[in-house]
Amino acid sequence: MALLLEPAGFGLLGLFGSITDLAVSLGGLGVSNSAVRQIAEAAASEDFQRIATTLALVRRVNLALGLIGAALLTLLARPVSLLTFGVDDYAGAITILSVAVFFRLAAAGETALLQGMRLIGDVARANVLGATLGMVASVPVIYLFRENGVAPSLLLVAAGTAFAAWFYSRRLAVSAPTAGIFERKAEIVALLRLGFAFMASGFMTLGAAYVVRIVIVRHLNLDAAGLYASAWTLGGLYVGYVLQAMGIDFYPRLVGAASDHPRCNQLVNEQAHVSMLLAGPGIVGTLIFAPLVVTALYSAKFAAAATLLRWICLGMALRVLTWPLGFVIVAKNRQAMFLAVDAAWTIANVSLTVALVPLLGLNGAGVAFFAPYVLHGALVYPIARSLTGFRWSPENIWTGALFLSTIAVAFLAPYVLPDLWAVALGGAIMALSCFYSARRLMRVVTTERAPAKLRRLFELLRSLWQHQATR
């Protein structure tokens, strides 16, 4: 899509995506996230009637919210176009996006069913199938219609995601509730109460992303918005699956252990440790080879996004460290505290963007993304300490120091060394971090459930390291 649309068209794609994300966040009222907690609690009770009733209720509520969200975005299409672009020329495209909002919310409800039941394999397969269907359907539309096909392409992606989620969730035993949806007020209120916290948090995060894009368009141009979208996509591409794993598997487990503080703290330390080991090499590699990565995965027209990508990678590195601690607040159901932390990040991000983009150009948006995560870390650690007595394990202190120091060197090397020396140093650091991460992961992760070929590779690497150690 980036090759077909070029920076300006890709910027339009990013803005339309941001509008859709924001509408999904507001229209969904956070129910999909709170539903995971409700379903996980029902599953832990092993009360099959309660499980079936909860699953059916979640599905019905999400479908209703999808219809309401689509209707509201349709009604507000013209004001949203004026706010985003300064003209109402895009109102028709935004109306098309309203249908994508319905499909996105329907898919979120089906995924919540799978996630709450901890059918992680089905969640992964649904994601892969949905992404494949979206690609097959949307890329030809962009090829044929270019910028005029951006909104329809997002609709097709959302429809593919919804179909894939339904395809895997349809096998769950979802029986009709014995009472009507409006007669189950207690369950709906519980979903909405916790969901409001998730919705408000998502609205702040996605609202900040939306405002950042508007600031870039107003102070720079649509091309700059495309460069920002490309850097944002690449910066989150590698780290994204680590963060997604936290939401899909780690969060339901943490909810189950929320009242057992030692177990809760153990889970957070384990998650943070594995996340650093998985994310570290990829972040280092992206920092060092940012110009090559941007040019190879997009085109030379996006090369100006390389410096911005480095700043976003720094923010993502801190995000890997702080997210497990943030889940402690959610698992303990401290909604006001959860919202306060997210509000602090959002205010810092938006304020710095407004201040720095006019001064530093596009790179100001990168600095404004990184800096708030320093504040976020300073807030969530003492909160986690107060809620569960959390402390970083000695192993995590060592791994975290190594993780942050290698990333700092990889970030600074291109600015203080000649290009060839910077690449050589960065390549060496990346190789060493890969070696260290693989070795540590093989000590903490069991391989019994891994695919046979991967298990044989682990066993071969273990035997080689053991042989080397005995020499």
Side-chain angles (χ1 to χ4, degrees), residues 71-399:
L72 288 175
L73 184 58
T74 300
L75 292 173
L76 296 172
R78 187 171 179 272
V80 170
S81 177
L82 287 169
L83 175 63
T84 307
F85 302 100
V87 294
D88 61 1
D89 299 354
Y90 296 93
I94 292 171
T95 302
I96 294 174
L97 295 179
S98 67
V99 186
V101 169
F102 169 76
F103 282 124
R104 287 270 302 273
L105 287 171
E110 302 302 317
T111 303
L113 305 185
L114 296 171
Q115 187 180 343
M117 296 298 293
R118 293 202 64 207
L119 299 174
I120 307 305
D122 283 346
V123 174
R125 283 183 281 272
N127 286 341
V128 172
L129 177 60
T132 303
L133 292 174
M135 178 188 69
V136 171
S138 63
V139 171
V141 173
I142 294 294
Y143 177 78
L144 292 172
F145 301 105
R146 293 304 196 270
E147 289 189 8
N148 291 330
V150 170
S153 74
L154 290 173
L155 168 58
L156 291 171
V157 169
T161 302
F163 173 80
W166 168 83
F167 182 80
Y168 283 98
S169 69
R170 77 192 195 284
R171 294 174 291 181
L172 291 173
V174 181
S175 61
T178 55
I181 187 170
F182 295 107
E183 297 174 27
R184 308 198 67 89
K185 294 180 181 178
E187 291 92 333
I188 295 174
V189 168
L191 279 173
L192 295 177
R193 184 181 294 116
L194 180 58
F196 176 79
F198 282 111
M199 183 272 289
S201 171
F203 174 75
M204 286 187 286
T205 302
L206 297 172
Y210 178 55
V211 171
V212 167
R213 284 172 166 83
I214 291 177
V215 170
I216 290 171
V217 171
R218 297 292 173 86
H219 285 280
L220 302 173
N221 50 41
L222 203 54
D223 282 350
L227 296 177
Y228 179 82
S230 66
W232 175 263
T233 301
L234 288 179
L237 189 66
Y238 185 78
V239 174
Y241 82 89
V242 178
L243 302 180
Q244 187 181 33
M246 290 189 201
I248 291 177
D249 183 52
F250 170 61
Y251 172 50
R253 286 190 293 128
L254 194 64
V255 168
S259 59
D260 183 351
H261 290 177
R263 175 61 178 159
C264 180
N265 295 337
Q266 179 188 1
L267 287 173
V268 173
N269 269 305
E270 288 174 354
Q271 180 66 51
H273 185 62
V274 172
S275 297
M276 285 187 285
L277 294 176
L278 288 172
I283 294 175
V284 169
T286 306
L287 286 168
I288 289 296
F289 301 108
L292 177 62
V293 169
V294 170
T295 303
L297 295 182
Y298 290 95
S299 71
K301 294 180 179 180
F302 289 82
T307 302
L308 172 63
L309 174 58
R310 290 191 175 108
W311 282 106
I312 289 177
C313 282
L314 282 186
M316 289 294 179
L318 293 182
R319 200 174 190 176
V320 169
L321 285 173
T322 59
W323 266 43
L325 297 175
F327 276 106
V328 173
I329 305 172
V330 181
K332 298 295 287 184
N333 204 16
R334 299 299 180 91
Q335 299 169 26
M337 198 176 289
F338 177 62
L339 291 177
V341 170
D342 276 4
W345 186 93
T346 301
I347 293 169
N349 177 235
V350 172
S351 301
L352 287 172
T353 299
V354 172
L356 294 179
V357 167
L359 294 176
L360 304 177
L362 192 57
N363 293 330
V367 178
F369 176 77
F370 160 70
Y373 276 108
V374 179
L375 172 64
H376 190 258
L379 291 174
V380 295
Y381 182 74
I383 290 174
R385 281 285 302 273
S386 68
L387 293 177
T388 65
F390 177 81
R391 291 180 182 273
W392 289 115
S393 65
E395 189 174 40
N396 269 349
I397 292 174
W398 164 250
T399 302

Side-chain angles (χ1 to χ4, degrees), residues 439 459-471:
R439 191 166 188 177
E459 291 169 355
L460 175 62
L461 290 173
R462 273 203 184 97
S463 64
L464 290 174
W465 279 326
Q466 289 171 355
H467 175 71
Q468 184 68 25
T470 57
R471 289 182 60 181

